[in-house]
Amino acid sequence: MAGAALKRLMAEYKQLTVNPPEGIIAGPLTEENFFEWEALISGPEGTPFEGGVFTTRLVFPPDYPLSPPKMRFVGEMFHPNVYPDGRVCISILHAPGDDPMGYESSAERWSPVQSVEKILLSVISMLAEPNDESGANVDASKMWRENRDQFNDIAHQIVRKSLGL
């Protein structure tokens, strides 16, 4: 199965280099291991994360694309849909099938038709529009709902850190 996964990842990498989506640079950390990628994501305009450049890591399972990769922010991130340890919590990265909690439909979850590009675009969308009802970071979710100015201040600090300022 790893052979099929490698072939798929190589094709996705080629597509991302030939036609990269705006605000995203992504590829394998090394040419020897196509199962661990780094992606740089620009903070979306008009959001508290605007101007930032955020480093993420994706780790792909041997049965990719049947199973989703794991994704995390490498540097600091304070966001309702990012666990304090940097792991990204969005529907597209959840295992295929029915949600045992009944929160997500199977159509929202991972399927083999998804791609690295779709994941990264979903993360940009997540940065712009957090889902505070399904918070991976309870403090960030609460602050997003109840004290947007304080949330924005923290986000702006993270943007500065992402730029090495």
Side-chain angles (χ1 to χ4, degrees):
M1 185 57 95
L6 178 60
K7 189 174 180 179
R8 167 78 179 256
L9 287 167
M10 290 173 82
E12 289 194 43
Y13 175 59
K14 182 177 180 182
Q15 177 63 29
L16 283 169
T17 56
V18 170
N19 188 19
E22 186 176 332
I24 296 171
I25 299 170
L29 281 173
T30 68
E31 291 186 19
E32 291 79 37
N33 181 4
F34 261 76
F35 288 86
E36 189 169 349
W37 287 32
E38 181 174 82
L40 301 177
I41 299 173
S42 297
E45 288 184 27
T47 73
F49 300 100
E50 180 176 357
V53 178
F54 306 100
T55 304
T56 65
R57 290 275 163 79
L58 293 111
V59 177
F60 297 88
D63 67 343
Y64 180 81
L66 299 178
S67 297
K70 305 279 187 228
M71 183 176 184
R72 67 179 176 83
F73 282 87
V74 174
E76 186 178 349
M77 178 53 70
F78 185 75
H79 188 280
N81 308 116
V82 178
Y83 288 99
D85 68 1
R87 288 177 294 134
V88 176
C89 181
I90 54 175
S91 299
I92 193 175
L93 291 175
H94 294 161
D98 292 328
D99 178 5
M101 306 299 277
Y103 181 75
E104 302 165 327
S105 74
S106 60
E108 295 173 295
R109 296 167 70 91
W110 180 260
S111 78
V113 300
Q114 306 295 0
S115 65
V116 175
E117 180 177 350
K118 288 179 184 175
I119 293 167
L120 297 173
L121 291 172
S122 293
V123 170
I124 287 176
S125 177
M126 172 202 82
L127 289 174
E129 298 176 30
N131 178 356
D132 64 348
E133 293 177 15
S134 175
N137 183 324
V138 176
D139 294 335
S141 296
K142 187 172 192 268
M143 193 179 296
W144 173 260
R145 280 192 305 269
E146 298 174 6
N147 192 340
R148 193 68 59 91
D149 289 340
Q150 185 179 9
F151 179 91
N152 291 344
D153 288 345
I154 291 171
H156 293 142
Q157 290 172 18
I158 291 170
V159 166
R160 287 192 292 280
K161 286 180 185 177
S162 80
L163 300 171
L165 304 175

